[in-house]
Amino acid sequence: MKVALFVPCFIDAFFPEVGIATLELLERLGCEVVYPLDQTCCGQPMANNGCEEEAAGAEALFVRNFSGFQYIVAPSGSCIHHVRDHFTAVEQTEEVKQLRRNAFELVEFLHDVLKVEAFPWAEFPHKVGLHNSCGTLRGLRHAKATEVSEPFFSKPLDLLSKVKGIEFVTPDRPDECCGFGGTFSLFEESVSANMGHDKVSDHKRAGAEYIVSADSSCLMHQKGCAERLGLDLRFMHISQILNGARE
Amino acid sequence: MREKRIDHAEAASEFIASTEHVAFHDRRLWDLRKKRDRESESIPEWEELRRLASAIKEHTLTHLADYLEEFERNAIANGARVHWAVDAIEHNEIVLDILRNRGAKTLVKAKSMLTEECDMRPFLEKRGVTVIETDLAERIQQLDDEPPSHIVVPSVHKLRQDVAQVFGRTIGTDPTNSDPHYLAESQRQNTRPYFVGAEAGMTGANFAVAETGSIVVCTNEGNADLSVNVPPLYIASVGVEKLIPRVRDLGVFVRMLSRSALGSPITQYTSHMRAPRPGTEMHIVLVDNGRSERLGMADFWTSLKCIRCGACMNTCPVYRRSGGLSYGATYSGPIGVIIDPTFSLRKYSNLPFASTLNGSCSNVCPVKINIHEQIYKWRQVIAERGQLPFVKKQAMQAAGKVLASPKLYRAAVEGASAASEYLPRFMLYTRFNAWGRQREVPVAPQQTFRQWYIKNRGQPS
């Protein structure tokens, strides 16, 4: 199966290990992975600030890099949420519509498309708190949100449960936003930091050694908060654990 | 004169500076959210109820003129008098006229966000009418000369010690005694004489039923019933969006209103006001105040479905940390963020950015308003109409340019800035120092993913 890999700008710059784990994991699972070298960003930072005009260039570049692939996979829920639900700064041609339908976040790709049954190489004997980012939880419907009355489901937990030795802990507010929110984290610094401090404290109280998420941006924010509070918490992207990271 | 923009971020940081207040506020409202979850989970048909409620409201709003006329016909037939107010000023003048015609100088009123929206109390007080809020929390806010900070629990941002201070200062209780029973009883003793002596009573409306021409008010303190049934004159102020077609539709909403708001199955009192008692008058003021205009806005009209339960505020992590007063508007929290800009785009242009777009508000909304999607949409409108702050606009233009060009992008992340211990500026845009004040700054690694990929997997293009 041929897959185009999208490594969003901030993962490229700050979390290359997440891109590497995603690439290796997809390859282990038998995918032929193509990484278009001229990619940058999906346009979300501008679009989330209402700046459609300013997002158009990045979106057009994204189309040039990724159209024509049957599967576009990225290790970032919020970026895929943007592509799928808000990628409107460029003209909505058939090509663009197709591309938006073909974009998958890694967890849903593994869960829904590849239907992976086992990660025999993965072992992670640690207490893990799962952070469902808002874009993946409510935007991509990775899992049941606590507000909605419906049977429980969780795609990331389904996948992580197949990892040897892993143990889960549940914070009091499992799906409360951590307060990152893109530029919100800067323009609403007080609220953002307060939310982040509460979030990591909640995980710590629940006994987490690691906070794991399908979104590196939330992890970046929470890591900054935990370090400032002096909490002994470690942070890892779900792709790293599924790819067999050991610590 | 151009209205000053509300600076939500600044006001929020002032609220957060009092750690005791923000922790209490967050905990108290989260508790309501948890109770709401328990209630909604206990009703198997909850999601079906939400779909029904949304459909009833959308049907009513798309046939609003018909239902308003039906309501008016039936209300008049019941013996009530019906008035139409196009805006806040007209509403206030109509109320003043009604009071003057009866020589009424004192008005006891139940909580009504519409009268807050119309700024009615100061209007009447300036013209010699004494207005007494009868809802406990609303009375606390009145005595403290503050607007409500939440549409259901107006003084939720206050600790009981704060209330003791307010009462000590204004109604002469012991300012050091913050026992809730003592405070509630003191307020009761203070307010009851006004009920007995009032010449007019007023309520808002949770619902107005077209089929019967009646007003439905839901309260927990019984204060609305006293306000209606003791004085010889009763005025109901009703936003036109409060209409529902039939009495039987009420069941859907009454089952969800208090469960969504407070996590309790129902309010203590669900009162139907249909006709004046013999020898008294009942007036109903139907208020537009921008609602028709909002009804014509393709992306935002469904905000009129709101039944004012406040569930979106209770679940909102931003609202819980910043407090309602930080929004500088009658309606705060997620629902405020999507309706305030219809009152003044410039003044409230920062509010749609006071959100992480996490979407919890839309999920709890009993009438399924797509709140977070409307927040997202408002940001586009605000940017299009030139209301973004200059620095943000500049930063977005710069970021847009860099991210549209592989070359500029690579220069930015693979150049000197990535090697430094700081985030590249183009990713942080402005307020560069804001990240590091309360969070550690991430360290950029030696090579980007792209550089690793070229080295390990591919050839440069």
Side-chain angles (χ1 to χ4, degrees):
Chain A
M1 187 181 286
K2 198 167 172 177
V3 170
L5 177 63
F6 170 42
V7 177
C9 50
F10 71 98
I11 292 183
D12 177 46
F14 293 110
F15 307 102
E17 67 277 11
V18 173
I20 296 166
T22 305
L23 172 70
E24 288 179 351
L25 180 59
L26 290 170
E27 286 175 344
R28 274 186 206 258
L29 293 165
C31 298
E32 183 199 334
V33 184
V34 181
Y35 174 73
L37 284 167
D38 274 346
Q39 59 181 286
T40 59
C41 159
C42 63
Q44 185 189 193
M46 289 72 71
N48 263 12
N49 280 291
C51 297
E52 285 280 278
E53 210 182 302
E54 287 75 10
E59 289 190 7
L61 177 63
F62 188 90
V63 174
R64 284 203 294 283
N65 277 307
F66 288 103
S67 66
F69 287 103
Q70 195 188 350
Y71 297 107
I72 302 151
V73 178
S76 172
S78 79
C79 303
I80 294 301
H81 176 45
H82 174 75
V83 172
R84 197 176 290 165
D85 300 312
H86 292 145
F87 196 87
T88 53
V90 286
E91 195 194 338
Q92 299 298 296
T93 59
E94 209 38 60
E95 180 192 20
V96 170
K97 285 187 209 161
Q98 188 65 38
L99 172 140
R100 293 177 63 184
R101 277 196 296 273
N102 292 352
F104 290 86
E105 183 282 324
L106 177 66
V107 167
E108 55 183 18
F109 185 71
L110 299 177
H111 190 276
D112 300 345
V113 180
L114 294 185
K115 301 184 199 306
V116 182
E117 291 297 334
F119 300 90
W121 50 80
E123 186 174 353
F124 202 71
H126 299 284
K127 286 183 178 166
V128 164
L130 176 69
H131 173 70
N132 285 319
S133 81
C134 303
T136 57
L137 177 70
R138 302 187 186 89
L140 302 178
R141 300 233 328 121
H142 260 198
K144 176 197 183 299
T146 47
E147 308 98 13
V148 184
S149 295
E150 63 182 348
F152 180 84
F153 72 98
S154 169
K155 295 175 188 179
L157 279 181
D158 276 358
L159 297 179
L160 286 171
S161 306
K162 303 182 199 319
V163 173
K164 230 178 291 158
I166 199 163
E167 193 183 331
F168 300 106
V169 300
T170 310
D172 287 342
R173 304 178 182 186
D175 56 14
E176 169 117 317
C177 175
C178 70
F180 173 64
T183 55
F184 176 87
S185 62
L186 303 170
F187 286 95
E188 289 267 358
E189 179 234 346
S190 303
V191 180
S192 172
N194 194 276
M195 288 167 68
H197 291 169
D198 284 356
K199 186 80 202 182
V200 292
S201 304
D202 195 5
H203 271 284
K204 184 71 191 169
R205 263 196 311 275
E209 297 167 54
Y210 284 84
I211 298 182
V212 171
S213 177
D215 271 84
S216 296
S217 50
C218 304
L219 292 179
M220 173 174 74
H221 166 68
Q222 290 179 46
K223 184 166 186 280
C225 290
E227 285 174 1
R228 181 56 60 92
L229 294 179
L231 297 177
D232 179 22
L233 276 167
R234 276 159 285 177
F235 296 81
M236 212 177 252
H237 190 271
I238 191 167
S239 62
Q240 297 173 271
I241 294 183
L242 298 180
N243 189 45
R246 306 275 160 97
E247 279 202 28
Chain B
M1 198 184 83
R2 296 210 304 176
E3 283 181 290
K4 201 170 176 296
R5 284 197 186 95
I6 296 295
D7 189 344
H8 176 269
E10 177 63 30
S13 60
E14 281 167 29
F15 184 69
I16 288 173
S18 170
T19 49
E20 197 185 358
H21 279 85
V22 70
F24 170 80
H25 191 257
D26 171 57
R27 217 170 41 239
R28 172 91 180 88
L29 293 173
W30 182 255
D31 190 45
L32 295 182
R33 163 59 218 279
K34 274 196 300 193
K35 286 182 181 162
R36 173 250 169 230
D37 290 352
R38 275 204 295 276
E39 286 295 326
S40 63
E41 296 279 350
S42 73
I43 293 178
E45 68 273 27
W46 183 260
E47 297 300 329
E48 180 61 22
L49 281 174
R50 290 177 73 214
R51 275 188 289 278
L52 258 177
S54 172
I56 294 168
K57 276 285 182 183
E58 288 191 10
H59 165 82
T60 315
L61 289 167
T62 49
H63 300 76
L64 191 57
D66 295 339
Y67 284 116
L68 282 167
E69 284 175 15
E70 184 185 350
F71 176 83
E72 182 185 39
R73 259 196 321 276
N74 289 325
I76 291 171
N78 294 338
R81 296 184 207 177
V82 178
H83 311 259
W84 299 83
V86 72
D87 57 18
I89 296 169
E90 201 175 15
H91 164 265
N92 293 347
E93 281 168 353
I94 288 168
V95 172
L96 182 65
D97 265 1
I98 298 168
L99 295 172
R100 282 192 173 155
N101 285 341
R102 291 287 302 228
K105 292 256 186 229
T106 52
L107 175 70
V108 286
K109 68 178 287 287
K111 186 154 70 66
S112 148
M113 292 309 289
L114 177 58
T115 59
E116 293 291 330
E117 179 188 319
C118 294
D119 228 2
M120 181 193 79
R121 216 166 57 213
F123 174 91
L124 292 179
E125 282 168 349
K126 266 187 220 140
R127 288 158 183 82
V129 181
T130 302
V131 182
I132 303 293
E133 295 290 344
T134 58
D135 174 88
L136 170 58
E138 195 71 34
R139 179 67 174 159
I140 294 168
Q141 291 309 97
Q142 180 184 21
L143 291 170
D144 202 23
D145 201 21
E146 249 184 12
S149 78
H150 185 290
I151 61 179
V152 175
V153 277
S155 61
V156 68
H157 60 298
K158 284 186 164 73
L159 304 171
R160 57 197 172 93
Q161 291 82 350
D162 301 329
V163 177
Q165 290 293 323
V166 173
F167 281 4
R169 203 173 64 232
T170 53
I171 62 174
T173 55
D174 173 5
T176 63
N177 187 346
S178 61
D179 173 53
H181 299 284
Y182 168 73
L183 293 172
E185 184 58 25
S186 303
Q187 191 267 356
R188 178 198 296 256
Q189 294 305 332
N190 176 266
T191 312
R192 285 294 152 111
Y194 291 107
F195 277 115
V196 177
E199 292 147 325
M202 181 176 225
T203 69
N206 289 95
F207 307 99
V209 185
E211 178 186 45
T212 55
S214 55
I215 304 292
V216 180
V217 177
C218 306
T219 70
N220 281 310
E221 298 172 26
N223 59 309
D225 304 81
L226 283 171
S227 303
V228 171
N229 291 312
V230 179
L233 171 62
Y234 165 47
I235 305 168
S237 280
V238 185
V240 290
E241 84 284 12
K242 292 297 175 75
L243 265 280
I244 58 167
R246 301 160 301 188
V247 173
R248 63 179 246 220
D249 300 321
L250 258 183
V252 176
F253 297 101
V254 170
R255 288 187 76 192
M256 286 198 300
L257 178 64
S258 191
R259 287 189 167 96
S260 299
L262 303 168
S264 64
I266 197 164
T267 47
Q268 302 296 322
Y269 303 88
T270 300
S271 309
H272 299 241
M273 271 68 83
R274 184 163 180 171
R277 303 187 312 282
T280 71
E281 286 178 22
M282 173 172 173
H283 294 257
I284 300 167
V285 191
L286 294 166
V287 185
D288 188 310
N289 203 30
R291 285 158 175 76
S292 301
E293 199 189 336
R294 207 180 304 149
L295 195 52
M297 302 170 101
D299 292 318
F300 305 114
W301 71 276
T302 57
S303 63
L304 288 161
K305 293 192 289 183
C306 177
I307 59 171
R308 305 282 189 256
C309 67
C312 62
M313 303 159 89
N314 301 344
T315 202
C316 177
V318 177
Y319 175 87
R320 273 188 267 112
R321 268 43 171 234
S322 57
L325 298 177
S326 65
Y327 294 78
T330 300
Y331 303 101
S332 55
I335 188 65
V337 160
I338 61 170
I339 64 178
D340 294 332
T342 67
F343 291 109
S344 166
L345 185 75
R346 182 181 163 77
K347 184 175 178 187
Y348 301 119
S349 57
N350 274 326
L351 297 188
F353 296 92
S355 163
T356 61
L357 299 175
N358 63 76
S360 183
C361 46
S362 304
N363 276 354
V364 295
C365 180
V367 289
K368 288 177 88 82
I369 301 171
N370 57 339
I371 302 175
H372 74 294
E373 289 169 14
Q374 293 191 30
I375 297 174
Y376 184 84
K377 200 77 200 173
W378 268 118
R379 294 183 180 186
Q380 294 182 352
V381 173
I382 285 158
E384 269 165 28
R385 302 211 193 147
Q387 293 296 335
L388 279 187
F390 180 74
V391 283
K392 189 181 265 186
K393 183 73 180 173
Q394 292 284 98
M396 289 302 135
Q397 279 170 345
K401 207 173 149 205
V402 171
L403 294 170
S405 155
K407 268 192 188 147
L408 290 177
Y409 167 79
R410 285 203 288 273
V413 298
E414 294 173 4
S417 57
S420 82
E421 62 178 356
Y422 296 109
L423 292 164
R425 273 175 180 264
F426 88 93
M427 282 187 177
L428 284 182
Y429 316 109
T430 57
R431 296 202 181 184
F432 179 67
N433 293 322
W435 183 273
R437 272 202 289 269
Q438 300 184 65
R439 287 164 291 221
E440 295 302 315
V441 176
V443 179
Q446 288 305 309
Q447 63 180 359
T448 64
F449 172 77
R450 187 180 182 278
Q451 289 168 325
W452 177 91
Y453 182 85
I454 289 169
K455 205 165 142 195
N456 291 276
R457 287 289 197 284
Q459 297 299 314
S461 49

